[in-house]
Amino acid sequence: MRILFIGLSKSKIYESKNTIKELKKRGHRVNFVLWRELVFSFSKKKGVTIRRKRGKDLKYYDFVICRSPMPPTIKKGHFVKTLAMSRFYRHFYLVIDYMNFYKKHVLNEKVIKKLPYYDKLFQYYQLAKAKLPVVPSLLYTGKKIPSSVYEKFPYPYIAKCIQGSKGRDVYKIYHKEKIRKLIEKYGWGRVMIQKYLPTKEDYRIIVIGKKVIGGMKRVAPKGKFKTNFSLGGYVEKIKVSKDFRNLALKAAKALDAEFAGVDIIKYKNKLYILEVNLFPGFQGFEQATKISVPRKLISYIEKKYLWSLEEIKTKKDKLNLLNELYQIEKESFIAPFSKKNFKKELINKKLITVKKEGKVIAYLTYKIEKRKAYISKIAVKEKYRRQKIASRLIKSLIKLLKEKRVKSVYVHIRESNIPSEKLFKKLKFKIKKIKKKYYRKRKENAIFMKLNL
């Protein structure tokens, strides 16, 4: 299938590099584009288009996988330049809406309804709203430092910029004057404080779909309080207990996340959610658990979102699909066959189907006589017709026929069926003749088209 991967770096980021490698290994056609290379166009004539800077419109792809739209903290001399995550997260929102309009999908697309802005403030709001055990936290939107707010927690406590990631922009606070400096640095309403739970370890549980695929323990380096693998934390595999599993699944569900890294801390025999990462890093996780996250993730995506072509060869298999196929027949044609005649069609012709989540969404029937092939029917479920499935069905048939050394392919369509005529012309079929009143019941002419292989 055609998959677009959107990220910040193709070669330098472990997660991007390994996911793309696995996608290609499984036979998918993958293109990579940087977040900063998307082109959004708006006009009265074309409406909205989103495309790659030097490439296709996004609607060309079957599926989009996005890595974090959050640019990293970049150090330049004595200055630190932080690019706000919300800047690209808005683009993530529009990519999802655009692909959904064309009946296509984006990984973690439902999250956007819960988190219109992706930061710790919105996340903690949703997790606490779901009454899940988060680390006690608060955020004050003002600039001054009133004791009635910041003395809620005893010193030391943790302060975080709500848009930080990978352990960046996290501080242990011993005096409220430090809070003043952080507010000056990050801005009003952007500094969250949390109760300090003195433990040197936490746990990363990865959820894909509605399943936990594994977990690891992260231990902070000596003299540090941050456990992140990217900051030198030690990692080791754990057996995920029922309590950890249930909490991780509830946290992912609270944000409608289908792929997430849930960070959990255990303190005095109680579990607390630290964070839910919707674009989780997994280099340390793979090192500790020996579980291939890309392999598990792509298997999930293939099963839920992507469709597959399949040639159905036996009579038994055709009859098992009879009811599904006939439903598409009735939905697709003004004058569908009776079920009895449709059954004969299936048995006497060759059949190619397109399946998604184990269900047929399109089919093509044809026959071969003396090295000539005749396409009988092409039908696609209405909700999938914007995905150019008919075009790819015909292309797959042409490839198959070439392997069988068939010399030519014929098809006939109603003269009034302009979209089908355009489709076959685009695939280089040429009109051979027009037969009058071929569709007698409707008194329509038939166009006979041919492609030499």
Side-chain angles (χ1 to χ4, degrees), residues 55-294:
K56 299 281 188 181
D57 190 308
L58 266 61
K59 67 184 179 184
Y60 169 81
Y61 297 96
D62 298 303
F63 193 77
V64 176
I65 298 174
C66 297
R67 282 300 299 169
S68 174
M70 179 178 183
T73 303
I74 304 166
K75 292 186 178 180
K76 290 190 175 181
H78 297 291
F79 299 97
V80 177
K81 182 182 178 186
T82 303
L83 300 176
M85 185 173 197
S86 59
R87 194 175 97 188
F88 281 130
Y89 196 68
R90 292 169 183 161
H91 297 68
F92 178 54
Y93 174 90
L94 293 176
V95 166
I96 290 170
D97 188 74
Y98 187 73
M99 293 299 288
N100 286 174
F101 178 78
Y102 289 101
K103 311 300 182 185
K104 310 289 184 72
H105 296 281
V106 180
L107 184 64
N108 267 346
E109 60 188 28
K110 290 184 180 178
V111 162
I112 210 76
K113 294 177 182 177
K114 293 287 182 74
L115 300 178
Y117 287 89
Y118 180 52
D119 58 34
K120 292 177 177 65
L121 174 62
F122 272 79
Q123 189 177 117
Y124 262 62
Y125 179 86
Q126 293 294 356
L127 293 172
K129 189 177 173 183
K131 298 193 180 300
L132 295 177
V134 295
V135 177
S137 309
L138 65 84
L139 182 143
Y140 176 58
T141 58
K143 184 178 181 181
K144 293 183 178 180
I145 314 295
S147 59
S148 60
V149 174
Y150 289 102
E151 289 181 7
K152 181 176 175 64
F153 301 137
Y155 294 107
Y157 52 74
I158 302 298
K160 299 178 177 180
C161 172
I162 60 172
Q163 292 178 325
S165 70
K166 294 187 176 180
R168 303 185 193 98
D169 310 309
V170 178
Y171 308 88
K172 192 187 287 187
I173 303 298
Y174 291 91
H175 192 277
K176 66 181 179 183
E177 187 57 35
K178 178 69 173 176
I179 290 289
R180 193 187 310 278
K181 292 178 181 178
L182 293 178
I183 291 173
E184 288 174 0
K185 179 177 180 179
Y186 295 112
W188 302 359
R190 289 179 177 269
V191 179
M192 177 185 284
I193 67 169
Q194 295 183 321
K195 185 176 180 179
Y196 175 53
L197 303 179
T199 174
K200 293 291 184 180
E201 60 192 38
D202 65 18
Y203 302 85
R204 163 66 61 88
I205 312 297
I206 288 190
V207 176
I208 296 177
K210 296 179 180 178
K211 294 181 180 178
V212 167
I213 67 164
M216 69 172 177
K217 179 167 74 173
R218 304 184 299 189
V219 181
K222 190 174 181 181
K224 306 287 183 182
F225 70 95
K226 299 177 186 178
T227 62
N228 303 73
F229 177 76
S230 59
L231 298 177
Y234 166 76
V235 296
E236 66 178 55
K237 180 181 179 180
I238 62 164
K239 184 178 180 181
V240 183
S241 69
K242 185 178 179 181
D243 289 344
F244 275 91
R245 184 182 303 275
N246 289 342
L247 184 56
L249 290 172
K250 286 177 182 178
K253 185 179 179 182
L255 302 181
D256 279 343
E258 52 191 342
F259 176 43
V262 183
D263 294 342
I264 298 172
I265 195 168
K266 188 173 185 179
Y267 181 66
K268 293 185 177 179
N269 289 321
K270 291 183 179 180
L271 301 183
Y272 299 89
I273 299 168
L274 281 174
E275 188 175 358
V276 180
N277 297 275
L278 304 175
F279 309 95
F282 48 76
Q283 184 175 1
F285 179 89
E286 290 193 333
Q287 180 179 305
T289 65
K290 310 304 179 189
I291 295 170
S292 171
V293 176

Side-chain angles (χ1 to χ4, degrees), residues 411-425:
V411 65
H412 62 79
I413 58 174
R414 296 196 318 274
E415 192 175 38
S416 61
N417 194 342
I418 305 300
S420 290
E421 184 181 343
K422 284 183 178 179
L423 168 62
F424 283 104
K425 280 182 177 178

Side-chain angles (χ1 to χ4, degrees), residues 340-385:
K340 183 179 179 181
N341 288 336
F342 183 73
K343 183 178 177 181
K344 286 181 183 177
E345 167 86 0
L346 284 186
I347 293 169
N348 295 328
K349 303 283 174 65
K350 295 182 181 295
L351 173 66
I352 299 175
T353 63
V354 177
K355 287 186 177 181
K356 185 173 182 179
E357 296 185 64
K359 301 291 184 181
V360 179
I361 61 170
Y363 70 86
L364 179 150
T365 57
Y366 71 101
K367 65 179 180 179
I368 298 175
E369 293 177 356
K370 296 179 181 179
R371 298 181 73 180
K372 294 179 182 179
Y374 300 86
I375 296 174
S376 305
K377 278 180 179 275
I378 304 172
V380 182
K381 269 193 170 184
E382 188 175 0
K383 67 183 286 189
Y384 299 103
R385 285 177 193 165

Side-chain angles (χ1 to χ4, degrees), residues 392-408:
R392 282 191 258 180
L393 261 172
I394 298 163
K395 286 178 182 177
S396 298
L397 174 63
I398 290 168
K399 184 179 177 181
L400 183 68
L401 295 174
K402 283 180 178 178
E403 291 171 0
K404 293 182 177 182
R405 299 192 177 185
V406 172
K407 287 187 173 182
S408 54

Side-chain angles (χ1 to χ4, degrees), residues 292-318:
S292 171
V293 176
R295 198 170 299 154
K296 296 278 188 181
L297 179 62
I298 294 161
S299 293
Y300 165 78
I301 291 169
E302 286 173 337
K303 184 178 178 182
K304 183 170 182 181
Y305 292 111
L306 301 182
W307 47 263
S308 59
L309 282 160
E310 186 179 348
E311 188 174 12
I312 310 299
K313 295 181 178 180
T314 68
K315 180 180 176 181
K316 182 181 177 182
D317 288 339
K318 289 177 181 179

